[in-house]
Amino acid sequence: MPGAADLPGPVETAASVDRSRRRRGVVLVLAHTLWLWLLLPPATAIVRGQVHPVTVAAVGLALFALLYLALVAVPVAGLAVRPALHHAGLALLALLGVALAAAYAGASEGWLALLMYVCSAGAVGLVQVGWGFGWVVGSVVAVLVIGGARRLPADNTAQIALITLLAGAMTLAFARVARLVDELRRTQRELARTVVERERLRFAKDLHDLLGHTLSLVVVKAEVVRRLAPTDPQRATVEAADIERIGRTALAEVREAVTGYREHSFSRELDNARTVLADVGITVAVRTGGQLDVETDDVFAWVLREGVTNVLRHSRASRCDIEVDTDAGGSMLTVRDNGVGGRPTFGNGLRGLTERLEQAGGTLEVGPARGGGLLLTVRVSTSRIARVTR
């Protein structure tokens, strides 16, 4: 029995899906056209003049075949037809099929086959399973009633009723599978779009964190060069060389981020923090304990980068303490400075860190530190990391 379509790939565009559906619709309509060979016995009876009036039977049979193909084309080809109009067409097909079968089944049992087409059209076109099942049962009952009323052989009538039932059941099952496949296709396309959007957001966060930190450092170094140039040209030259080195490193990191092979470890970020803060005259005290797992290492690296960037930009601090504590329950990173403190501004950097930590099962707290300055605290639970990574 002709019916559902194949499942396309999840990254197909809407235009390609529409073209594919139209091609499949044409193929399926042609398949249903070939299935009309079961109408040959009624057509033969008309040609031989076994039914009267012949003109009415011929016109009725031709209208029935055309209406059947039109109604089948609506669901299989995805034609834009109002449900009310489609349902009215099904009702007209059923009335025409029952009328022709009741009028001419006495001359040829092949006229009862029209009810198989009525059954199939309803099973394909009715979306609700209950209505489709009722339509199939009604078609089978119509075969039995007309066969009994026309005093046709019971075995022939039962055979046609069984074929009608099987055809309707198969069509219902096939139509249901087709609708599930279409739903799965739409879900796959939506998931593909979601994955792309998430990857774009992830890359935007990475690029912001990379360039935000580096450009802040370049600005700080440039200010140092500007102050030293009149009084200490040699030191200014060294600082300018550092700006060049930082720029080349940032360029390499951006290239690595684009290609997806960027190594971004907490230990590397900790070394960079020591160097950068010391270069601008901020004393750094680092205390670490325990081994970080892969997920926590990556998260802490981004947190430390953003924390150091905030110290460079806003704190005007002379000291920065970085501490890492790890135990069986999880890991905690704190970044404390003795600067001007105040309420933190949740810009893109801190918002990005909050989203990263939510994905990793961690929490972020930023607020004034005791004795002045700002305190940034990150906690990541080992159990939550385990759930995220599974």
Side-chain angles (χ1 to χ4, degrees):
M1 184 78 65
D6 294 333
L7 179 66
V11 295
E12 289 180 309
T13 62
S16 66
V17 170
D18 290 339
R19 288 193 299 268
S20 177
R21 173 175 291 182
R22 285 194 293 269
R23 287 195 297 267
R24 291 195 304 270
V26 171
V27 172
L28 290 172
V29 171
L30 290 176
H32 280 277
T33 304
L34 295 176
W35 192 48
L36 291 175
W37 68 269
L38 290 175
L39 296 180
L40 285 178
T44 303
I46 293 173
V47 172
R48 292 178 178 177
Q50 297 175 349
V51 294
H52 300 283
V54 173
T55 303
V56 174
V59 172
L61 185 62
L63 288 176
F64 179 87
L66 293 175
L67 183 58
Y68 167 76
L69 292 177
L71 291 173
V72 166
V74 171
V76 300
L79 301 180
V81 176
R82 288 182 298 178
L85 181 60
H86 182 237
H87 293 164
L90 287 174
L92 179 60
L93 180 72
L95 292 175
L96 185 58
V98 169
L100 291 173
Y104 303 118
S108 172
E109 297 171 359
W111 288 93
L112 285 179
L114 271 65
L115 297 175
M116 285 191 291
Y117 294 94
V118 173
C119 180
S120 176
V124 171
L126 295 174
V127 176
Q128 295 183 356
V129 177
W131 284 103
F133 182 76
W135 187 275
V136 171
V137 173
S139 300
V140 174
V141 171
V143 171
L144 295 174
V145 170
I146 294 174
R150 301 296 295 184
R151 298 182 182 277
L152 300 178
D155 55 345
N156 291 345
T157 301
Q159 183 179 9
I160 296 175
L162 179 60
I163 294 174
T164 302
L165 177 62
L166 293 177
M170 291 176 60
T171 305
L172 276 177
F174 216 67
R176 178 61 177 170
V177 171
R179 294 186 185 101
L180 290 177
V181 168
D182 287 339
E183 183 177 351
L184 178 60
R185 182 189 302 126
R186 290 191 296 270
T187 302
Q188 286 181 318
R189 289 198 298 270
E190 185 63 29
L191 287 175
R193 286 193 294 269
T194 301
V195 169
V196 172
E197 291 173 359
R198 287 181 177 177
E199 183 61 18
R200 287 175 178 171
L201 181 60
R202 182 200 65 81
F203 183 75
K205 292 177 184 177
D206 288 358
L207 202 58
H208 170 270
D209 293 343
L210 283 170
L211 293 182
H213 172 80
T214 303
L215 293 177
S216 297
L217 182 57
V218 168
V219 170
V220 172
K221 288 283 189 179
E223 291 176 352
V224 173
V225 171
R226 178 175 54 80
R227 290 196 302 267
L228 292 177
T231 59
D232 193 348
Q234 185 175 1
R235 175 71 185 281
T237 301
V238 173
E239 295 293 340
D242 280 346
I243 294 177
E244 181 181 359
R245 176 186 60 80
I246 293 168
R248 293 183 184 277
T249 301
L251 182 60
E253 288 181 337
V254 170
R255 287 173 176 169
E256 291 172 356
V258 170
T259 56
Y261 294 106
R262 174 175 44 82
E263 180 185 359
H264 185 73
S265 65
F266 179 71
S267 59
R268 174 185 173 185
E269 201 60 50
L270 194 57
D271 292 338
N272 290 339
R274 286 193 182 100
T275 302
V276 169
L277 293 173
D279 285 343
V280 296
I282 298 177
T283 303
V284 184
V286 178
R287 186 180 67 82
T288 60
Q291 184 71 25
L292 300 177
D293 57 64
V294 176
E295 293 287 339
T296 306
D297 187 276
D298 182 70
V299 171
F300 278 10
W302 289 112
V303 171
L304 182 60
R305 174 181 283 260
E306 183 64 26
V308 171
T309 300
N310 287 333
V311 171
L312 290 172
R313 285 179 177 176
H314 311 298
S315 71
R316 288 182 284 175
S318 61
R319 179 181 175 85
C320 179
D321 297 320
I322 302 172
E323 298 181 7
V324 178
D325 293 311
T326 303
D327 55 29
S331 302
M332 183 174 68
L333 168 66
T334 59
V335 179
R336 179 187 293 104
D337 64 69
N338 64 345
V340 295
R343 293 186 176 181
T345 302
F346 274 80
N348 291 331
L350 288 179
R351 279 197 298 267
L353 287 183
T354 303
E355 293 174 2
R356 287 180 189 275
L357 285 164
E358 288 177 354
Q359 294 174 2
T363 59
L364 171 67
E365 297 178 5
V366 184
R370 291 182 179 179
L374 196 68
L375 174 64
L376 183 150
T377 305
V378 173
R379 295 180 180 86
V380 177
S381 171
T382 301
S383 59
R384 296 183 71 183
I385 281 287
R387 288 198 298 269
V388 170
T389 56
R390 274 199 296 266

